[in-house]
Amino acid sequence: MPPGETRSYIDIAREIGCRSPRAIGQANGSNPIPILIPCHRVVAADGSLGGYSGGEGPATKRYLLALEARARPAAATGELTLFPPDGGQRQGTTR
């Protein structure tokens, strides 16, 4: 799922043909690399955060979701750049 978007445990279970949203929760809780496999984007069916085993728990989950939400509009419009447009060269300076 794209950065800044969430899905519920039950949505993911249905999408992959699993009968148990609880199994999705257990898989998320066992995720050894939560930054690479973004399990913080999975929420409860009612939209509440649910649990999170990374960092400081739910506080970290809230932080990651908020960080992605702030970055998403810039990325969608192409305004998010990783490098300065001049390639890092500043006028009047030498390297």
Side-chain angles (χ1 to χ4, degrees):
M1 79 194 78
E5 289 187 15
T6 59
R7 300 280 189 285
S8 72
Y9 296 97
I10 196 162
D11 290 338
I12 293 172
R14 287 179 182 148
E15 186 176 320
I16 65 170
C18 176
R19 294 182 183 183
S20 173
R22 190 168 291 205
I24 304 301
Q26 289 173 338
N28 274 350
S30 300
N31 180 3
I33 47 176
I35 292 297
L36 298 177
I37 300 172
C39 57
H40 64 276
R41 297 180 190 154
V42 183
V43 297
D46 66 1
S48 63
L49 289 182
Y52 186 66
S53 59
E56 301 295 320
T60 301
K61 187 172 190 172
R62 274 190 295 278
Y63 171 79
L64 291 170
L65 290 170
L67 180 68
E68 288 182 350
R70 286 192 306 271
R72 186 178 166 103
T77 61
E79 296 175 20
L80 184 65
T81 58
L82 299 177
F83 303 100
D86 63 1
Q89 298 291 330
R90 298 185 195 274
Q91 292 182 351
T93 62
T94 58
R95 290 185 179 215

